[in-house]
Amino acid sequence: MRVSLRFLATPTAAGSTTGLKPAPLALLPPIPLYRRLLRTHRKYLPREMRLLGDEYIKSEFRAHRNVENPVHIIGFLTEWQMYAQKLEGDSWLGEKIDSGKIDKMSDQQLGQLYELMQAIQKRDQGGGDDVDDNDGGVVPPIS
């Protein structure tokens, strides 16, 4: 019997809650999730942040279009869905990155995160309008 990836990509309640964070109710398929993320950006983010976020979402979904590993698919969709829920609830303002996620990042991801932090600090200090000083790369998702 051949198992479809669609049926493998269903969330379970086991291990999906950490601390006080609620578990996502149902895992959205990729296209409705993509649309929800763009709508959420349009509704909750200022223009400058929305432009950066929209480009990042588009590049991440393009990069993961051909992923076949069900574990990676579930992780990818779950993280993006939790991100959308945080934006919709305004719980992301002033929140720090979970240290567990930082521990899982590669050296390249940490370097890009550092460059992003520097660009934000430079923008906040009035150092210029150039937000992205690097080659246009994005931080790959944590799998």
Side-chain angles (χ1 to χ4, degrees):
M1 174 192 248
R2 185 173 173 202
V3 180
S4 172
L5 286 179
R6 180 172 176 236
F7 294 115
L8 288 174
T10 56
T12 61
S16 60
T17 58
T18 56
L20 301 174
K21 296 180 184 176
L25 296 177
L27 195 59
L28 289 174
I31 294 176
L33 178 61
Y34 179 79
R35 290 177 181 153
R36 177 183 175 189
L37 289 164
L38 294 177
R39 277 193 306 268
T40 303
H41 277 188
R42 194 168 46 242
K43 186 174 181 180
Y44 294 101
L45 293 180
R47 184 179 185 276
E48 187 177 280
M49 290 175 72
R50 189 187 84 208
L51 294 174
L52 178 65
D54 287 353
E55 286 302 314
Y56 185 73
I57 287 172
K58 290 173 186 177
S59 68
E60 284 297 301
F61 273 76
R62 271 189 222 113
H64 290 82
R65 183 181 296 164
N66 298 321
V67 173
E68 295 181 12
N69 186 340
V71 175
H72 289 212
I73 294 169
I74 292 170
F76 179 80
L77 296 176
T78 302
E79 288 294 322
W80 277 111
Q81 189 160 332
M82 288 185 340
Y83 167 76
Q85 289 173 344
K86 281 186 178 190
L87 279 184
E88 291 165 350
D90 284 339
S91 66
W92 60 278
L93 296 171
E95 184 176 320
K96 295 186 179 201
I97 297 176
D98 181 31
S99 62
K101 289 185 181 182
I102 291 177
D103 293 339
K104 292 180 182 179
M105 287 184 180
S106 68
D107 290 339
Q108 179 186 7
Q109 290 171 320
L110 290 171
Q112 290 175 338
L113 187 63
Y114 181 72
E115 289 174 6
L116 177 63
M117 181 191 71
Q118 287 181 323
I120 291 170
Q121 288 174 344
K122 181 179 175 184
R123 184 200 65 198
D124 289 345
Q125 294 172 354
D129 296 332
D130 188 20
V131 175
D132 188 11
D133 293 339
N134 64 8
D135 61 346
V138 294
V139 179
I142 302 168
S143 301

